[in-house]
Amino acid sequence: MMDKIAWGTVAEYFIFDGSWLDIYVFNTNIDDWQRVLDQLRHAQYDLVYHRNGNPCELPQNATDAFPAPEMHDRLLCVQFAEIVANCHFFAPDEIEFDIDPGQVQGQRQLDALLAFMKLLSDATSKESVLTPENFPTNVLLRSHL
């Protein structure tokens, strides 16, 4: 369980420097993805799934949410507390969402971000981490099971 984190202790992580932040769950498989997508459907989040740049229904089957090989035409946007977490469905073995750090502007957004990370952890029974963009080993925040 993630303890409450005070905004003042982590505010510096969310100063926009031109790069985004990534949320990862490592060592995943399609079953983990299915549980995450199912949890997201039942959560109080606004979901918009895009295929070829056009909004469409999020597939029921996680396998169908992924693009064809060599394609990068899928995007899931999850909105909560003025934050949009984007998933591009890069690979089944790693769940990754990116966020604009500038959207996290205080305790309310931080708490919502931590709740989102907890949802990912609960769905997969794996830790989720927040990192600088493209630096998956530089963990800023982590959820604990």
Side-chain angles (χ1 to χ4, degrees):
M1 174 126 169
M2 194 179 300
D3 293 328
K4 182 151 176 114
I5 297 173
W7 168 248
T9 64
V10 297
E12 67 185 272
Y13 299 158
F14 300 98
I15 297 170
F16 186 65
D17 64 1
S19 62
W20 290 48
L21 297 173
D22 291 328
I23 301 166
Y24 290 103
V25 180
F26 301 110
N27 302 313
T28 60
N29 57 44
I30 203 68
D31 293 331
D32 292 317
W33 278 97
Q34 186 67 56
R35 287 189 299 276
V36 164
L37 294 180
D38 290 344
Q39 288 287 339
L40 288 173
R41 279 188 194 90
H42 292 91
Q44 297 298 312
Y45 298 136
D46 292 326
L47 306 177
V48 180
Y49 178 74
H50 295 86
R51 180 176 283 157
N52 296 321
N54 299 310
C56 60
E57 187 172 337
L58 179 62
Q60 290 297 315
N61 186 325
T63 302
D64 297 333
F66 281 85
E70 306 305 316
M71 299 295 290
H72 304 285
D73 62 348
R74 304 296 197 272
L75 173 66
L76 173 62
C77 300
V78 181
Q79 185 170 354
F80 49 92
E82 296 87 39
I83 299 169
V84 178
N86 301 298
C87 177
H88 300 276
F89 297 93
F90 292 130
D93 65 347
E94 181 178 274
I95 294 171
E96 178 184 347
F97 285 85
D98 59 44
I99 64 165
D100 175 345
Q103 293 177 342
V104 182
Q105 298 182 351
Q107 190 68 51
R108 188 172 73 80
Q109 288 89 11
L110 175 62
D111 291 347
L113 174 61
L114 296 173
F116 177 74
M117 292 174 63
K118 180 80 168 105
L119 179 144
L120 298 177
S121 291
D122 288 348
T124 60
S125 296
K126 297 177 171 114
E127 181 178 68
S128 64
V129 296
L130 180 73
T131 72
E133 186 174 31
N134 298 320
F135 286 96
T137 59
N138 186 5
V139 175
L140 303 173
L141 298 172
R142 66 181 71 236
S143 71
H144 297 284
L145 300 174

